[in-house]
Amino acid sequence: MNKPEKKPANKPAQAGARSSRPAAPRQQPGRASEHQPSTYRLFYALRVPADITAPLAEAQSKLRGNWRAVRPDQMHVTLSYLPAVPPERVEDLKRLGTRLTQDLPPLHVNLRGTGYFPNEGSPRVWFVKTEADGLTELAENLRAGIRELGIGTDDLAFKAHITLARKKGPAPRLPPLIFDQSWTAPGLTLYRSILRKTGPIYEVQSTFRFRGSASQTSAESAPTAAPSAPQEHP
């Protein structure tokens, strides 16, 4: 009887033999785990103090429907918006803020009436108008200085206002409201706007104190006028 032929046993893999399976790619050292934006969204603004945001927050409580109210601690008056700033240019913007505020006295800011942007018939933003002597001139000087630095900014007409809420769907409008509060703004702030699904986060980059002497002229308010629609910013 013929004995069954024995099949040769598999030979053990030799030491140092290469596997046919491709190796997993190695993670490069120093690479950030999250994507970092190449430019920043920045804006110069006046911060609104807590004693002023309180009555504004009370007015916000009357909103119904799909209005998204701005948090009181994020209320501000935008003077200039810079949508795409390389991070290395932030120091130039800080020097500009310092230069333009060193001779300015604190600004006396008045609240006025509420309004809607772009219009009352099809509103996307609910705001309250603000006024202050010298505020428009400061905004214009900031924009001129930004252009001289070769950094892009908006060319929209400046309309001083505080955004109170943004509409995200069907929502009823509130009737016009008039506020008579005012405050003295001690300085200017450069903010970075960081977009999140829940809304933007405003991160302070630098603050610039108004270092000029207080004006001797009366800080009487200008006659109340119907608020004109501002251009919407962060």
Side-chain angles (χ1 to χ4, degrees), residues 37-48:
S38 59
T39 59
Y40 291 165
R41 291 161 48 95
L42 303 177
F43 60 96
Y44 290 98
L46 303 182
R47 187 182 66 84
V48 182

Side-chain angles (χ1 to χ4, degrees), residues 163-186:
T163 296
L164 299 178
R166 297 178 176 88
K167 192 161 73 72
K168 300 301 179 180
R173 297 184 299 273
L174 289 179
L177 300 174
I178 300 294
F179 297 91
D180 59 2
Q181 287 82 3
S182 64
W183 80 95
T184 300

Side-chain angles (χ1 to χ4, degrees), residues 201-219:
I201 297 174
Y202 301 140
E203 183 181 86
V204 174
Q205 300 296 292
S206 189
T207 57
F208 317 96
R209 183 166 294 276
F210 296 130
R211 299 186 180 278
S213 59
S215 175
Q216 299 300 317
T217 59
S218 174

